[in-house]
Amino acid sequence: MIATESLSKRFPRVTALDRLSVDVGPGVTGLVGANGAGKSTLIKILLGLSPATEGRAEVLGLDVASKGADIRERVGYMPEHDCLPPDVSATEFVVHMARMSGLPPTAARERTADTLRHVGLYEERYRPIGGYSTGMKQRVKLAQALVHDPQLVFLDEPTNGLDPVGRDEMLGLIRRIHTDFGISVLVTSHLLGELERTCDHVVVIDGGKLLRSSSTTDFTQTTTTLAIEVTDTDEHPDGTHAVRDALHARGVSVEDGGGLPGAGHILLLTAQGEETYDLVRDVIADLGLGLVRMEQRRHHIAEVFKSSDEHEQRKEAVGHGG
Amino acid sequence: MAVEHSTGTPAPAPGDQTRIHNIGYRNYDGPRLGRAYARRSLYSQSLRGSYGLGRSVKSKVLPMLLFVVMCVPAAIIVAVAVATKAGALPLDYTRNAIVMQAVISLYVASQAPQSVSRDLRFKTVPLYFSRPIETADYVRAKFAALASALFILTAAPLLVLYVGALLAKLDFADQTKGFAQGLVSVALLSLLFAGIGLVIASFTPRRGFGIAAVIAVLTITYGAVSTLQAIADAQGSSDAVPWIGLFSPITLVDGVQSAFLGATSAFPGGVGPGHGEGVVYVLVALGLIAASYGLLMRRYKKVGL
């Protein structure tokens, strides 16, 4: 779908992309990086709107430097920022955008109705966009990127500004773009955690350099981590501690759940299989404690991403806590 | 629209009758008409938008009102001419735009920002440029749309005058020639005003600023030029009058049409530029139109995504 070869983009004072070589296949691909890592610059180059300083890139087998217009006819783009005029309805706006993608008037109307329904906008689509909630606006932005049935869409920070429920719905929708609509997706985010649930493949860039590119299963499913949290009782004033000791005695190694303040009551342990769950249940029941939570926690991409940084943060957090 | 019929599907199983049919995603394999079509679509959308069509009722009020204000005087003139059986129309075709310049300026000031500042303000521009069209397509479509809208605004009263003149059985050849000259003149005016208005509006995402700036540029230059011309005329240096007229858009159009389109000049003393000076007027007018286009291109190269 996308292939870049030592792609660089230098501005007079910053290097936005530094010899980036990456291959992206069909499916949902996450492009992860902190703000300013070069994600938006990469998308601009891939749309053929900004020439690369050196190196080359192909989208759908078309060279970005010479076939920009052809690429833009077959891909969709959802920008990070607001891009909707408040005084027109979603239907009018998306119809216009469909025509701007080259769809004949009748097809533009039909595709608009279909697409708005698929992203979950119904009666409200006839009302001016100005009155929409953030979640609805994000759906309109997504609809305009999908209305011409592209082969690939670029979604730039689609979950920005959404509440947790809206975020989950958007992530589900992104998943469906591939599974139900057959459109490949390149989705950017600076929140590493949310992409692991949605993407087949994750590309991590930092400072314009490729940090890692691999499938999410490689990233996160090599081991299953269990997170548990228990209550305290009179008998065991520090229930967490008691559970840890008891599990230690049974030969299970347990870690603290992250160094952040407030996460001190969470214990992490590696599940070997069914018996680990039973063991935890029995240990807690024997101690007479209440089990607040026991959940599977996949390794956060963050851990793969910046382990050294995290170490420092942890020290800092501990320093603050003490 | 978009009523889904599940025709041809087997009858639902009993007890299953209230099921909602999800017809799923359908791929589009129809034609994709490409850049030229997209440019035309943007042109027609912008042109309609210049008269508030396809927009809210509120945004139809001003352009429609100004259109009526442009046409009513022409209708009155025609009525008078027919009633009094006058031998000629009391107003030249070429003079109409000069007399109505305040209305035209107001129209440009209100619609140029509507056309481009909105896209900048709501950051819709990146959505256009993520599609097949390029900077030049966007600029041309917007330029052509506003120029066409202005042409409709300024040519409609001329059409009223012309039809009226023919109904009053005035000389056909004479009237047709005057009408044609008037059309050429307002076409030039439309291009010039559209260019100036769009350049100013494209530099501000704020519609209010755009309106104020366009009005300021059009009226202040006209005020300054006509004052200087009056002073020059009063002091006896009437040679300077035509040259001063180069510095405001409406006097520029006035100069071109009095030199080449048989119009009587509105300059003080009624002396317009001669043929030699007229060439300079034409060059300056065309130069300004070209410069507006160039500035818009430069501006939108930067806006991009």
Side-chain angles (χ1 to χ4, degrees), chain A:
Chain A
M1 284 283 159
I2 301 168
T4 72
E5 219 179 281
S6 59
L7 192 69
S8 298
K9 179 75 183 179
R10 291 190 196 90
F11 295 108
R13 302 184 59 184
V14 281
T15 300
L17 289 178
D18 192 6
R19 293 189 297 280
L20 186 71
S21 295
V22 67
D23 262 302
V24 173
V28 183
T29 304
L31 179 62
V32 184
N35 291 331
K39 292 169 295 182
S40 298
T41 308
L42 180 60
I43 290 183
K44 267 188 229 179
I45 294 176
L46 294 178
L47 283 169
L49 296 171
S50 166
T53 315
E54 61 178 57
R56 48 195 301 281
E58 278 186 357
V59 175
L60 307 171
L62 300 164
D63 189 273
V64 295
S66 56
K67 297 276 183 197
D70 293 335
I71 291 172
R72 293 196 297 277
E73 196 171 77
R74 297 177 207 186
V75 303
Y77 168 62
M78 171 180 173
E80 177 184 358
H81 51 72
D82 281 340
C83 56
L84 307 171
D87 54 349
V88 297
S89 70
T91 298
E92 277 173 75
F93 181 72
V94 178
V95 166
H96 176 54
M97 283 300 149
R99 298 185 60 174
M100 295 311 299
S101 290
L103 265 58
T106 325
R109 298 215 154 265
E110 285 172 10
R111 289 277 321 165
T112 297
D114 272 10
T115 313
L116 286 173
R117 188 168 50 82
H118 280 298
V119 300
L121 281 173
Y122 302 94
E123 289 313 309
E124 55 270 36
R125 66 178 189 250
Y126 302 111
R127 292 208 310 265
I129 296 171
Y132 288 12
S133 67
T134 309
M136 284 157 69
K137 284 183 183 164
Q138 290 298 88
R139 286 160 195 261
V140 180
K141 280 164 65 177
L142 185 59
Q144 66 78 30
L146 296 173
V147 69
H148 53 296
D149 190 28
Q151 287 165 262
L152 170 70
V153 278
F154 297 122
L155 310 179
D156 202 353
E157 307 269 357
T159 55
N160 243 7
L162 297 178
D163 59 23
V165 176
R167 194 174 282 272
D168 283 346
E169 285 174 358
M170 179 56 76
L171 290 172
L173 204 48
I174 292 169
R175 193 67 225 162
R176 277 185 54 213
I177 293 173
H178 177 59
T179 52
D180 294 3
F181 308 172
I183 300 170
S184 289
V185 180
L186 181 73
V187 50
T188 76
S189 178
H190 59 272
L191 293 170
L192 315 171
E194 67 181 27
L195 289 180
E196 66 183 3
R197 287 185 285 151
T198 316
C199 299
D200 307 316
H201 195 95
V202 168
V203 174
V204 184
I205 60 173
D206 187 39
K209 285 195 171 106
L210 180 68
L211 226 60
R212 186 163 172 181
S213 165
S214 54
S215 79
T216 33
T217 48
D218 289 0
F219 261 119
T220 57
Q221 285 185 339
T222 43
T223 57
T224 311
T225 303
L226 273 187
I228 53 177
E229 185 181 350
V230 294
T231 56
D232 302 331
T233 59
D234 288 342
E235 203 181 327
H236 300 284
D238 187 351
T240 313
H241 200 83
V243 172
R244 186 191 341 214
D245 289 347
L247 284 170
H248 255 305
R250 307 263 187 124
V252 179
S253 71
V254 181
E255 280 177 63
D256 284 331
L260 294 171
H265 287 291
I266 293 178
L267 292 172
L268 299 176
L269 55 121
T270 306
Q272 311 292 353
E274 290 291 306
E275 60 274 16
T276 312
Y277 293 81
D278 296 343
L279 180 67
V280 171
R281 181 197 62 203
D282 294 345
V283 163
I284 292 169
D286 289 349
L287 291 168
L289 300 170
L291 182 58
V292 178
R293 74 168 99 188
M294 173 158 74
E295 62 188 14
Q296 279 190 2
R297 181 173 289 185
R298 291 197 277 182
H299 279 291
H300 256 253
I301 297 172
E303 293 163 25
V304 198
F305 183 33
K306 275 183 185 170
S307 52
S308 59
D309 277 18
E310 222 166 56
H311 256 312
E312 276 161 35
Q313 272 177 2
R314 191 171 295 188
K315 269 183 217 156
E316 225 169 84
V318 170
H320 282 304

Side-chain angles (χ1 to χ4, degrees), chain A residues 87 101-103 144 149, chain B residues 26 28 32-33 37 118 131:
Chain A
D87 54 349
S101 290
L103 265 58
Q144 66 78 30
D149 190 28
Chain B
R26 285 181 295 184
Y28 177 74
R32 290 169 197 268
L33 303 175
Y37 166 82
R118 281 173 79 247
R131 295 181 148 75

Side-chain angles (χ1 to χ4, degrees), chain B residues 51 146-157 182-188 190:
Chain B
Y51 283 96
L146 187 59
S148 306
L150 270 167
F151 185 74
I152 292 171
L153 183 80
T154 49
L183 287 183
V184 173
S185 165
V186 296
L188 179 72
S190 301

Side-chain angles (χ1 to χ4, degrees), chain B residues 14-39:
Chain B
D16 225 21
Q17 319 233 309
T18 52
R19 196 155 52 115
I20 296 169
H21 286 277
N22 181 2
I23 56 171
Y25 187 81
R26 285 181 295 184
N27 285 98
Y28 177 74
D29 42 19
R32 290 169 197 268
L33 303 175
R35 247 178 95 178
Y37 166 82
R39 190 173 54 217

